[in-house]
Amino acid sequence: VGSREPADQQHVEALRSVHADYAAVMPYGFIRERNSPDIIFDTDRQWYGETREGARQYIELLHTNGIRVMLKPQLWIWRGVFTGELVMASEADWCKLEAAYANFILTYAGLAEETGVNLFCIGTELGAFVKARPAYWDELIAAVREKYSGRISYAANWDTYTRIPFWKRLDLIGIDAYFPLSDARDPQGTDRRAGWKRWKADIRKLQEKIGIPVLFTEYGYRSMDFTAHKPWLVDRSEAGVNLQAQANAKRAIFEEFWGEPWFAGGFVWKWFIHHTRAGGPADNRFTPQNKPAEGVIRDYYQRY
């Protein structure tokens, strides 16, 4: 998660302690409304870690520590409106959005090449944009390839990944893996594994068709009751803190996917650079930091 200030070595030590060998760095662009074509990015009004300069500093520090990087520039629509609903009202606005988004993505594709990152993500959860303008995305992928020589993915939402038309033009099938698994308050292991059965079969079917590995561009659960029911919920819910539910859900995803030869791995949502101040026993948000889920991650990352 981008911070107000540069990262330093103590911030990386927590990543090293869980045996992470990759980290996602996420500079942001901002949109005022879901039908606005203007993207504001890399300004002095943003937090340092959300800018081009901040992304470069994070990347270079991570590389110094032997941690590879996925550069994942993302959009944020004011008030947290879901980016999958980004739709323009006119052809003129679509063309304006396409130009603005290309400028945003190619700016960071250039940074990815300059810094030698291993993986670049061309978009995150932009389902309506992809559906409405498929030819544009083919052109964007070609333009990114001209600027960046590494591997490319796209982060599709869990309920749209089967409808992305350009997977064969990429190197990894990217999925933000917030699949609903159980409606129980604290699902047990058999419930969670059963919940994955259908989704995993569908993921494997697509992977066999496309012929490239699957990457969970985001995966995570909140440390709260019913965490596996609607894992995508980001509201400020005061649902009861349930640290073990989060840890158990993490364990299930490792058990289901990490040993599969067609699976490339994934990126935990989400991780703050100030580790000592993040998460903790009273926190019901997504971060696993200073919770039992962190220990689960450490155990499985060390194993693999």
Side-chain angles (χ1 to χ4, degrees), residues 184-205:
R185 179 185 297 273
D186 190 5
Q188 300 304 304
T190 53
D191 296 329
R192 294 187 302 272
R193 299 295 293 270
W196 270 118
K197 187 175 181 180
R198 169 202 166 186
W199 304 119
K200 186 176 179 181
D202 290 346
I203 292 168
R204 178 60 170 147
K205 183 178 179 180

Side-chain angles (χ1 to χ4, degrees), residues 177 179-182 186-197 199-200 203 216 219-221 227-228 231 243-260 262-263 292-293 295-297 299-301 303-304:
F179 296 90
L181 304 179
S182 171
D186 190 5
Q188 300 304 304
T190 53
D191 296 329
R192 294 187 302 272
R193 299 295 293 270
W196 270 118
K197 187 175 181 180
W199 304 119
K200 186 176 179 181
I203 292 168
F216 284 171
Y219 72 95
Y221 300 89
T227 189
L243 302 177
Q244 198 57 48
Q246 181 189 44
N248 291 345
K250 280 279 201 299
R251 184 175 291 106
I253 209 169
F254 291 133
E255 291 172 351
E256 285 291 341
F257 290 95
W258 251 251
E260 297 289 356
W262 48 268
F263 185 73
V296 173
I297 294 168
D299 290 346
Y300 279 91
Y301 278 15
R303 183 180 309 178
Y304 284 101

Side-chain angles (χ1 to χ4, degrees), residues 100-216:
Y101 191 75
N103 183 36
F104 174 57
I105 289 298
L106 293 176
T107 293
Y108 285 106
L111 178 64
E113 183 68 15
E114 291 169 20
T115 54
V117 305
N118 294 78
L119 180 60
F120 183 71
C121 186
I122 64 169
T124 298
E125 298 178 0
L126 295 168
F129 189 177
V130 170
K131 181 180 179 180
R133 313 293 283 191
Y136 166 78
W137 287 87
D138 287 341
E139 294 169 2
L140 180 66
I141 291 165
V144 170
R145 294 279 190 202
E146 290 183 1
K147 274 190 170 283
Y148 172 66
S149 57
R151 293 186 299 168
I152 298 173
S153 188
Y154 167 82
N157 200 36
W158 69 273
D159 59 350
T160 63
Y161 77 95
T162 59
R163 301 193 295 274
I164 303 303
F166 49 74
W167 284 135
K168 289 188 176 182
R169 299 174 64 87
L170 305 182
D171 302 295
L172 295 155
I173 296 168
I175 304 173
D176 286 357
Y178 302 110
F179 296 90
L181 304 179
S182 171
D183 58 5
R185 179 185 297 273
D186 190 5
Q188 300 304 304
T190 53
D191 296 329
R192 294 187 302 272
R193 299 295 293 270
W196 270 118
K197 187 175 181 180
R198 169 202 166 186
W199 304 119
K200 186 176 179 181
D202 290 346
I203 292 168
R204 178 60 170 147
K205 183 178 179 180
L206 178 68
Q207 190 278 325
E208 290 176 336
K209 176 183 176 182
I210 303 299
I212 58 177
V214 171
L215 173 74
F216 284 171

